[in-house]
Amino acid sequence: MAKKQQNNNLNNNNNNSGNNGNGNNFFNNNPLLIFVIFSIVTIFAFKAIFPEQQMGGDSSNSNIQAFGQTSNKTVPYSDLKALISSGKIEYVGIGNTQIKAVSKIGTGQVTTFTARRVIPDDTLIPELEKNSISYGGINEENVLADILFGWVLPIFIFFAIWMFIAKRMQKSMGGGSGGILGIGSSKKMINSEKPNVTFDDMAGNKEAKEEVQEIVDFLKSPDRYVRLGAQIPKGVLLVGPPGTGKTLLAKAVAGEANVEFLSVSGSAFIEMFVGVGASRVRDLFEQAKKVAPAIIFIDEIDAIGKSRASGGPMGGNDEREQTLNQLLAEMDGFSTDAAPVIVLAATNRPEVLDPALLRPGRFDRQVLVDKPDYEGRIEILNVHIKEVKLGKNVDLKEIAKMTAGLAGADLANIINEAALLAGRASKDQVDPSDFKEAVERQIAGLEKKSKRISPKERRIVAYHESGHALIAEITKGANKVNKVSIVPRGLAALGYTLNTPEENKYLMQKHELIAEVDVLLGGRAAEEVFIGEISTGAGNDLERATGIIKSMATIYGMSDIAGLMVLEKRSNQFLGGQTQKDFSDAMAKDLDDHTKNLLNERYEIVLQKLRDNSPAIEKMTAELLEIEVIIGERVREIITEFGGKVFVDEDLHSDAIIETAKKEPIIEETPSNSDETTENK
């Protein structure tokens, strides 16, 4: 059967070759060369039919032509004047640059002497009149040259440009590798390589690597799956926040399988001209089939894969839709059995993709490449520090604790920034202080020691940040303090309190959200208690606190105002999240009142906490004004020194579970034939 199919394919190829031979002969494939040959033949034929003396058409050369056929001879100007003086010249024709003189008719052959005219020469005309030699003007223009350069050459240039553009347009419309000025070609936009990246270089995403492992096995030995009747997924969609390693994972799959890796960006398919994107999709899959087994990787596929319903009743982008339709057709049209080609795509906006793109048979599987957890961060750090000279006291676990919530790209940047800081300080190795400074740069921004602030403002900032730090340490559910500083950082921050959880939080309880609101209000409250006047420094804190309380009421159902109703829908979860409001004006007024009242309630509680711990605030502020920076351990020492209670090593998520378990009655198991068991239940 396979042999028969092979023979049929050969026959089809031969037939296609024969058909192409009929239409793609020498004349059709080389129209420009044919036009050049035609032009040359036409010029020579025109010259043969109309010789120069017949084309002259100017009576100014008729006197010389009247002497008939003469022999031509080029002589210097001085020799020509000597011939004129000796009386051997019958007629002289004077042009702008040349002089032609015809010898007297004698026994011998008549000769036409041609010389280059020397200007100025006032003796020529008197000499001719002295020797009674007739003279006149001659026309030096060449009509053939005028026609060639005035008509033929411009037409030739215009025709050549037209043929060039027409040929490129023909390739573009036919789905070839051309297009107007190359815009239809995808060869230059496709990066084809065999990556040397493996799963060892891809750390921190164990589950994602396990999901794509079977793709590697299929590309290495497809017969094992085909024999069992299994169909490998045609496409795998990698989703996750930016910087988590989606592209690196795709390269690692190709590197592990040792196959060709064809990568292209989704935006490369979109052009101004209609049909170009579809042509590039066809070209991409054709190239992949030629080098199969291969992996096609489309980065940021949401550029062409947006839902077709998002354009509204008037329709969306026609070019994008045509490109998407072509991609769908190509993924349906090729078989991975004959030519193993796997399509991998990456996006951080999976919610906007067209449902037809995500159905089984196209992108069968979605693999989440999320931000790494604590163990994942340690693995990523170990990968990126291979080329870095570390100090003996560098502890990667401490760095992993300080970088909760950061992606792999952020961790790589932190290590590079630490190495740059060590090099700037002329160190032989990277110390823990360099890593701490790099983490702070990543989170809070660049330190601006040169930024001058007045003593009054430094005092306000010190009290403000002390308020944040104290509330964070004495409030149950708040993130613990890592560092407090009054050194300006970033674009606008005059100081900052670094609260870094040791682990990623995938959910938050109600008391934890309230604790975060209290911490945000702590800065403004400290200004009011210890300075007696508030400032503009709490603007961002109030904005974030208001957002948390509104989210509790509108999204999480943590208020009496809306109960369990969801008033806002969240989208773009990997890009920070955006909300769409869906509630009435009356509900909006109730929501505003609820937010205002809860903020005021929490603010009063924070004020009282600060008044109760005022000695600790004063001590903390004094040290900040003196040394500008204090660490979290020192903050906790100051609080306990003045009788405050610090929540240390608290399991925040188990308290509610323990309390619920205590309330439930304990049911003892009894033998199965007892009716009392049912009654007790």
Side-chain angles (χ1 to χ4, degrees):
M1 186 68 181
K3 186 175 181 180
K4 184 179 180 180
Q5 183 67 30
Q6 185 177 2
N7 293 332
N8 292 335
N9 294 336
L10 291 174
N11 294 332
N12 293 333
N13 293 334
N14 293 332
N15 294 333
N16 294 333
S17 300
N19 295 333
N20 294 335
N22 294 333
N24 297 331
N25 51 34
F26 177 80
F27 295 97
N28 292 334
N29 291 332
N30 303 277
L32 192 61
L33 180 61
I34 297 301
F35 179 76
V36 173
I37 296 174
F38 173 77
S39 301
I40 295 174
V41 172
T42 302
I43 292 172
F44 277 103
F46 191 77
K47 186 175 181 180
I49 297 173
F50 302 99
E52 186 177 354
Q53 58 268 25
Q54 297 182 11
M55 294 173 55
D58 195 344
S59 61
S60 60
N61 297 332
S62 60
N63 292 329
I64 295 179
Q65 297 172 6
F67 291 94
Q69 296 291 334
T70 62
S71 61
N72 297 320
K73 188 176 181 180
T74 304
V75 296
Y77 186 69
S78 59
D79 293 349
L80 181 61
K81 291 191 68 176
L83 292 173
I84 294 172
S85 301
S86 62
K88 297 180 179 181
I89 301 300
E90 181 72 22
Y91 178 83
V92 175
I94 303 173
N96 293 329
T97 60
Q98 290 182 348
I99 296 178
K100 292 186 177 183
V102 182
S103 64
K104 287 185 177 182
I105 301 174
T107 57
Q109 186 179 8
V110 177
T111 305
T112 300
F113 299 96
T114 304
R116 189 76 176 176
R117 184 180 177 185
V118 178
I119 300 176
D121 186 6
D122 297 333
T123 63
L124 178 62
I125 301 300
E127 186 69 23
L128 293 174
E129 293 178 348
K130 178 182 178 183
N131 292 282
S132 302
I133 299 175
S134 302
Y135 62 90
I138 60 173
N139 185 12
E140 298 178 358
E141 295 180 359
N142 191 332
V143 179
L144 179 62
D146 293 343
I147 295 176
L148 179 62
F149 293 102
W151 292 90
V152 177
L153 186 61
I155 294 175
F156 169 73
I157 295 174
F158 176 78
F159 184 80
I161 295 174
W162 177 78
M163 289 296 298
F164 174 78
I165 296 176
K167 190 174 182 179
R168 305 290 289 187
M169 289 181 63
Q170 184 181 5
K171 288 185 177 181
S172 176
M173 296 302 178
S177 61
I180 300 177
L181 301 179
I183 60 175
S185 177
S186 61
K187 292 182 179 180
K188 296 182 180 180
M189 301 179 182
I190 299 175
N191 183 23
S192 181
E193 60 176 336
K194 279 192 175 182
N196 54 1
V197 181
T198 62
F199 284 154
D200 295 335
D201 302 317
M202 181 65 189
N205 288 277
K206 184 179 179 181
E207 294 81 6
K209 288 189 290 186
E210 291 176 353
E211 286 292 323
V212 298
Q213 181 62 49
E214 63 185 27
I215 297 177
V216 177
D217 296 337
F218 173 77
L219 292 173
K220 286 184 177 180
S221 54
D223 296 338
R224 183 173 60 183
Y225 291 88
V226 175
R227 186 173 62 252
L228 296 173
Q231 295 183 355
I232 203 67
K234 289 186 178 181
V236 177
L237 184 64
L238 307 177
V239 300
T244 53
K246 297 184 292 294
T247 304
L248 184 62
L249 179 60
K251 287 186 177 181
V253 173
E256 288 284 342
N258 194 25
V259 297
E260 201 73 21
F261 183 75
L262 287 78
S263 61
V264 64
S265 176
S267 60
F269 295 101
I270 306 300
E271 289 284 356
M272 176 180 68
F273 300 92
V274 178
V276 173
S279 173
R280 288 177 178 171
V281 171
R282 289 191 296 269
D283 193 17
L284 173 63
F285 279 83
E286 288 177 2
Q287 292 187 46
K289 292 175 184 178
K290 292 178 182 178
V291 296
I295 288 178
I296 296 176
F297 177 66
I298 305 175
D299 199 9
E300 306 296 342
I301 194 174
D302 52 273
I304 60 172
K306 285 185 180 179
S307 176
R308 288 166 288 185
S310 60
M314 299 301 294
N317 190 314
D318 290 339
E319 172 63 10
R320 181 181 288 112
E321 290 188 8
Q322 290 187 19
T323 306
L324 174 59
N325 292 335
Q326 186 63 45
L327 177 62
L328 299 176
E330 290 291 339
M331 295 189 70
D332 285 337
F334 75 93
S335 174
T336 57
D337 297 338
V341 177
I342 306 297
V343 182
L344 299 181
T347 182
N348 43 41
R349 301 177 64 192
E351 67 277 355
V352 303
L353 296 180
D354 195 279
L357 198 63
L358 303 177
R359 75 156 176 83
R362 288 166 181 159
F363 285 102
D364 311 79
R365 184 176 301 175
Q366 295 188 25
V367 177
L368 175 62
V369 187
D370 206 353
K371 293 181 179 179
D373 55 7
Y374 173 72
E375 298 295 336
R377 291 195 297 274
I378 294 178
E379 294 178 6
I380 294 174
L381 291 172
N382 282 318
V383 170
H384 290 292
I385 63 167
K386 292 181 179 179
E387 304 297 330
V388 180
K389 295 183 179 180
L390 298 178
K392 295 182 179 180
N393 54 347
V394 174
D395 189 2
L396 296 182
K397 295 182 179 179
E398 292 296 325
I399 302 174
K401 291 179 180 179
M402 293 188 297
T403 54
L406 299 184
D410 299 324
L411 297 175
N413 184 59
I414 287 173
I415 292 177
N416 184 62
E417 197 68 36
L420 292 176
L421 291 172
R424 188 181 303 171
S426 301
K427 297 181 180 179
D428 296 331
Q429 57 189 11
V430 185
D431 297 327
S433 59
D434 300 321
F435 283 103
K436 290 183 179 180
E437 175 64 20
V439 171
E440 292 180 23
R441 284 192 174 197
Q442 182 70 32
I443 297 175
L446 183 64
E447 190 177 53
K448 296 181 178 180
K449 294 182 179 180
S450 61
K451 192 171 184 178
R452 295 182 178 268
I453 59 175
S454 64
K456 179 182 177 182
E457 289 179 335
R458 289 182 78 250
R459 186 166 173 266
I460 294 174
V461 174
Y463 275 113
H464 185 102
E465 301 301 333
S466 298
H468 284 312
L470 186 135
I471 298 299
E473 290 296 334
I474 68 174
T475 303
K476 178 182 178 181
N479 294 326
K480 302 298 123 179
V481 177
N482 186 275
K483 184 178 181 181
V484 184
S485 173
I486 60 172
V487 179
R489 280 185 178 271
L491 297 176
L494 299 179
Y496 68 98
T497 301
L498 187 61
N499 305 85
T500 54
E502 295 185 0
E503 190 50 80
N504 295 351
K505 288 185 178 181
Y506 301 102
L507 60 87
M508 295 185 69
Q509 294 178 312
K510 184 178 180 180
H511 78 277
E512 292 176 315
L513 294 172
I514 295 296
E516 189 171 351
V517 172
D518 291 351
V519 174
L520 292 171
L521 297 176
R524 179 186 176 94
E527 294 181 19
E528 182 175 339
V529 172
F530 299 99
I531 299 178
E533 188 177 0
I534 58 178
S535 69
T536 60
N540 182 255
D541 297 333
L542 297 179
E543 180 182 352
R544 293 165 58 189
T546 303
I548 293 173
I549 293 177
K550 284 187 176 181
S551 297
M552 291 173 61
T554 59
I555 299 176
Y556 306 124
M558 296 181 178
S559 69
D560 297 332
I561 181 175
L564 301 180
M565 291 178 58
V566 177
L567 306 181
E568 294 184 2
K569 298 179 180 179
R570 178 162 293 181
S571 60
N572 296 338
Q573 57 178 335
F574 298 129
L575 297 177
Q578 298 177 353
T579 57
Q580 297 179 353
K581 299 180 179 179
D582 185 17
F583 49 85
S584 63
D585 295 338
M587 181 64 72
K589 184 180 183 304
D590 294 339
L591 178 62
D592 292 340
D593 294 338
H594 168 76
T595 304
K596 178 182 177 181
N597 295 332
L598 186 56
L599 278 173
N600 292 334
E601 178 185 337
R602 301 312 306 178
Y603 189 68
E604 293 297 329
I605 295 174
V606 171
L607 287 174
Q608 188 59 44
K609 289 183 178 179
L610 292 176
R611 294 189 183 102
D612 297 339
N613 295 272
S614 57
I617 292 289
E618 295 289 354
K619 178 66 174 177
M620 206 180 303
T621 302
E623 292 193 8
L624 281 174
L625 292 174
E626 182 180 357
I627 62 177
E628 293 186 336
V629 177
I630 58 177
I631 60 176
E633 286 79 2
R634 179 55 183 163
V635 172
R636 288 181 278 275
E637 289 177 1
I638 294 174
I639 295 174
T640 54
E641 180 182 345
F642 290 93
K645 182 183 178 182
V646 177
F647 289 92
V648 182
D649 297 332
E650 181 186 20
D651 189 0
L652 301 176
H653 298 289
S654 64
D655 292 347
I657 299 175
I658 295 174
E659 293 177 0
T660 304
K662 290 180 179 179
K663 295 179 181 179
E664 293 181 352
I666 301 175
I667 301 175
E668 298 181 356
E669 296 184 359
T670 56
S672 58
N673 59 351
S674 177
D675 296 295
E676 296 179 2
T677 305
T678 306
E679 294 177 359
N680 291 334
K681 289 182 181 180

